Each structure stands twice: as structure tokens, then as C-alpha cells.
Amino acid sequence: MKFTTILVGSLSLATGISAAPSPADVDQAKASKYISELGKVYQANVLQTVKSNPKTKCTPDKLIRRKEWGSMAKKEQLSYVNAVICLSKTPARTSLDVAPGARSRYDDFIVLHHLKTPFVHGNGRFLGFHRAFVHLYETALREECGYTGGQPYWDWTKSYKDPRTASIFDGSPYSLSGNGKYVPNRAPITSYIGKGLFLDRLPGTGGGCVESGPFTADKFTINLGPFGYNATEDPSVPGDGLGYNPRCLKRDFSTYYSQFSRPTNVTHVLDAADLEEFNANMDHPVRGIHGTGHFQVGGIMYDTFASPSDPAFFAHHAQLDRIWAIWQGQNASARTNQLWGTLTAGNEPPSADVTADTPVELGVLHADYKLGEILSTIDGPHCYIYE
Ligand SMILES: *[C@@H]1O[C@H](CO)[C@@H](O)[C@H](O)[C@H]1NC(C)=O
Ligand SMILES: *[C@@H]1O[C@H](CO)[C@@H](O)[C@H](O)[C@H]1NC(C)=O
Ligand SMILES: *[C@@H]1O[C@H](CO)[C@@H](O)[C@H](O)[C@H]1NC(C)=O
Ligand SMILES: [Cu+2]
């Protein structure tokens, strides 16, 4: 190692080209280190609490371990992918009166997200709802499709320069498939992103159907949607997005939106003093790490309502959930049960603040929860840790 460094150093002297990292890279490396230090504080808190807290059913032997995609073994990646395919082939529980297009257990998640979107985004239910939603998906993969691991997360800070370099999207059998086929000459897609704001999403590097990996058109079909954006695929959307509309999974990775997934963008969120500030930074409609995670993948991920149609949704939301858990873990007693926000998106129209008793409806996925029951990763129905 040392020898290589010296060699590179003398080479750059000779050629006059500096091999030193740019100041921006140094900042990002420092931010990554800071995130991993806060991550260790969070993990230590979880392990300590599950060992010593007799009030919770979550014990060390029950903790489900959620790993970053790139640090999973190949056989774990394959078993996760197979479980997702299995869920997409298991019959739906949603009634056809509710969603004529629902065909599978995977679709049950899309229908629920679609129906609840206005009540669980940009408001006080956002974080809790998505924590429960990802957990119920993980539970279905484990209980109905033989998966034994935890829901993987996609740490997009590792690939902010170009999401196509993330191993989770390398297009191999050990990925969630890769980019869509490049479609030239596309116009921006306008979408309503809340608070009276429209976003013109710039075309990225793909645009068509994914070309390789487990979720190509021959193996995986999107049945529902689109709904929440100017339909790029088929202007006549059946049944308000709940009708049967079988088609391929499209992606359109964007190196513009991925620039908002830098480590410094995460430290900015993690440094929030309270949940109001945390939400404001994480869920900023244009620059927030929530939206830009969706925007950089593109395709159906850009459709707020139908976005869980892309299996990448759950890996992105696990990463957001992880960041919330790390934030909570810095001062668990003060932060775990902290709430912020009202019942309506962007508080329009103005509504009451959420409380621990606010219902969170989960349709066919689960009996309703109270918001206060689902705020912890190691209490109530939850028992998992981010590694
Ligand atoms: C579609 O785009 C236009 C502007 O080009 C916008 O006014 C309209 O609200 C958009 N519709 C949706 C559903 O986003
Ligand atoms: C987040 O990312 C964007 C794009 O790289 C950058 O302009 C912005 O300053 C970042 N914010 C923080 C707090 O790092
Ligand atoms: C945790 O939060 C409480 C309440 O805000 C505060 O008094 C305490 O100092 C905090 N503890 C740490 C370690 O930051
Ligand atoms: Cu959502």
C-alpha cells in the first residue's frame, strides 16, 4: 500500500498532475466518517436497550439485521430477489372492487400506498407510516416467501456521483436490475410535488425498460398505475391508476438528482436539533434526500403514488428509515417518541397535529396501528437493526 502511494506521488510530481483528492472529496470523506460514527452510537444504543429493557418483546436473538446491499453475501442477495419475485407471484388480498388491477401480494403494497399517499406524505405520518410499510414488506418476504434476512438498504451516498455504479443496480442476477434502455430526445416530465410546486424532471441516462437482471419484462410486470405524474407511458391510465395496466419496469438514472445524495446532505439532516428540522431537511420537496432518491431513479419511482412498483423503493426507504433511526439513536430517550407535523400534506388545509394516538391505516397489509406504536425500530411490532 505504502509503496503504491509513493509511486503515485512521484508520478504526479513528474507529470505535474496532482493525485491528491479534491477538497470536495475530502469534505465528503469526512462526512461519511461522521455518519458512520453516529451509526455506531445508534447501534450501541440499540444493542444496550434490547439487552436491558424488560418492557419490550425485542430481545437480542430476535433482532433482524438490515444490511447495505453491497455488504450482503451473493446468496443473501439472491434469496432477497427470489423472495420479491415470489411476492409478485403470490395472489393478492386486495379486493378487485378496490383495485381491479391488483394481481399479487406485491400489488397489495402498491394499492395501499396509492390510496394513502395524500395522508402519509409531507406530514406528521410520513416517517412512521413508511417505517411500518417497509417492515410489513420485509415481514411478507420472510413469512410468505421464505426470506430469512432483513430488508436491505441502498446507501446512495456511496454512488452519488453516478447511481449506475451502485452494486444494487449493476444489472447482474445479484442486483435489483439496472438502468432502463436509453431513449433519446425526451422532454422533461412535469409533476406536482406538493406545496403548490411543480418539478420538471430532466431526462436522465435511460428512460426505457430495464435491460438485465431479475426484474426484466419477462420475469416481472408492473400491473398498476401510473397515477401521480403526467403519464409518459400511456395517456389513458385505466381506473385512476388502480386498473390493470401491465407493463415493464422502466428506469432513468440521473446524475443530476444523485448529487443531492452526498454524505454532506445526510450530515445536514442528522444534525437537526428536533424532528421538525429533521423533516424540513430530509423532505424538502426539491432538494431533500427523500425526493431526490426517487428522482434519481426515475421511471415509476418519480410517481409518488405508484412508486413502490419499483422494488428499489423499499431499499431507498430503508435508507431513509436508517437515517431517522440513527438520528433517534443519538438521544433515544428524547428522540424516539418525538412527533412533528399535522394530519394534512404541507398542512393544507390546516389540520390538527399528529399525536401518539393518530391512526395509521394499513388496509389489507395489517390492522391499523397508532402512530405511537411504530416510532421505534425495537419496540411495538418492530425489532431490527441497521448494520
Ligand atoms: C402536467 O403538466 C402540466 C404542465 O406542463 C401541469 O400544469 C399539470 O398539472 C401536470 N399534471 C400533473 C398530473 O402533474
Ligand atoms: C446537498 O446537495 C446539493 C447538490 O450537491 C448541494 O447544492 C447542497 O448544498 C447540499 N446541501 C448540503 C447541506 O450539503
Ligand atoms: C437528550 O435530550 C434531553 C432533552 O432535550 C437533553 O436534556 C439531554 O441533554 C440530551 N442528552 C444528550 C446526551 O444529548
Ligand atoms: Cu411513500
Side-chain angles (χ1 to χ4, degrees):
M1 274 321 250
K2 193 151 202 182
F3 179 73
T4 319
T5 313
I6 292 162
L7 196 72
V8 171
S10 47
L11 191 76
S12 59
L13 267 182
T15 56
I17 298 164
S18 170
S22 76
D25 286 342
V26 173
D27 286 351
Q28 298 309 327
K30 268 195 195 160
S32 286
K33 193 155 174 276
Y34 178 69
I35 297 165
S36 88
E37 275 157 18
L38 298 194
K40 284 179 193 141
V41 171
Y42 145 78
Q43 287 164 349
N45 176 265
V46 165
L47 295 172
Q48 168 68 29
T49 310
V50 296
K51 255 187 233 155
S52 60
N53 188 351
K55 282 185 303 193
T56 135
K57 283 179 286 179
C58 182
T59 49
D61 55 308
K62 291 199 186 115
L63 264 187
I64 291 173
R65 295 174 184 280
R66 293 189 175 176
K67 301 179 185 176
E68 210 281 323
W69 187 268
S71 61
M72 289 165 76
K74 279 199 154 51
K75 71 169 201 276
E76 294 175 319
Q77 294 168 333
L78 215 49
S79 117
Y80 178 80
V81 161
N82 289 338
V84 174
I85 293 287
C86 155
L87 209 61
S88 78
K89 298 196 185 310
T90 306
R93 293 183 191 163
T94 303
S95 137
L96 292 182
D97 302 337
V98 172
R103 292 291 179 275
S104 70
R105 286 287 288 138
Y106 190 92
D107 290 346
D108 288 342
F109 286 84
I110 301 163
V111 171
L112 191 269
H113 190 267
H114 178 128
L115 294 174
K116 297 301 169 196
T117 282
F119 313 102
V120 301
H121 292 92
N123 70 5
R125 281 196 192 93
F126 174 76
L127 288 168
F129 170 86
H130 287 82
R131 172 160 287 174
F133 188 66
V134 172
H135 174 252
L136 291 171
Y137 182 75
E138 175 186 68
T139 305
L141 296 175
R142 288 168 59 89
E143 292 182 356
E144 299 171 50
C145 284
Y147 180 56
T148 55
Q151 168 60 43
Y153 62 94
W154 165 34
D155 183 356
W156 25 245
T157 64
K158 295 178 192 289
S159 54
Y160 77 88
K161 288 181 179 171
D162 188 339
R164 290 171 295 179
T165 64
S167 67
I168 192 169
F169 298 125
D170 71 7
S172 73
Y174 311 98
S175 72
L176 301 185
S177 283
N179 205 3
K181 187 181 168 66
Y182 180 62
V183 179
N185 305 317
R186 286 170 298 141
I189 301 170
T190 305
S191 183
Y192 185 64
I193 53 169
K195 301 190 178 178
L197 290 167
F198 288 87
L199 182 81
D200 286 326
R201 184 187 180 276
L202 307 168
T205 58
C209 301
V210 299
E211 296 187 277
S212 64
F215 299 103
T216 48
D218 53 327
K219 300 190 265 311
F220 185 75
T221 310
I222 293 184
N223 296 324
L224 299 151
F227 185 85
Y229 64 106
N230 282 346
T232 45
E233 309 159 50
D234 178 358
S236 58
V237 178
D240 284 339
L242 291 175
Y244 188 52
N245 183 22
R247 63 212 190 282
C248 68
L249 171 65
K250 293 182 179 178
R251 290 203 185 116
D252 184 31
F253 284 116
S254 160
T255 54
Y256 172 73
Y257 297 104
S258 66
Q259 299 301 313
F260 296 88
S261 298
R262 291 167 197 246
T264 50
N265 289 100
V266 173
T267 54
H268 182 58
V269 170
L270 285 174
D271 281 342
D274 56 27
L275 197 67
E276 176 170 11
E277 191 183 335
F278 181 94
N279 258 282
N281 294 332
M282 179 270 308
D283 209 15
H284 185 282
V286 180
R287 312 186 282 278
I289 53 176
H290 169 219
T292 52
H294 284 267
F295 306 157
Q296 71 185 272
V297 179
I300 200 83
M301 274 285 271
Y302 182 53
D303 180 327
T304 313
F305 290 77
S307 51
S309 303
D310 186 331
F313 173 97
F314 297 92
H316 169 48
H317 269 275
Q319 161 80 342
L320 294 174
D321 187 66
R322 168 178 170 255
I323 292 166
W324 180 31
I326 293 176
W327 182 83
Q328 290 176 306
Q330 303 311 301
N331 189 342
S333 59
R335 292 182 174 181
T336 304
N337 296 315
Q338 213 177 107
L339 292 168
W340 162 86
T342 69
L343 296 165
T344 41
N347 199 29
E348 288 165 7
S351 59
D353 283 348
V354 293
T355 69
D357 289 328
T358 295
V360 178
E361 295 172 0
L362 292 150
V364 301
L365 301 184
H366 199 275
D368 299 354
Y369 287 125
K370 286 180 178 174
L371 189 52
E373 288 179 278
I374 50 175
L375 299 173
S376 169
T377 58
I378 50 168
D379 203 349
H382 301 151
C383 186
Y384 60 84
I385 184 169
Y386 288 102
E387 293 194 328

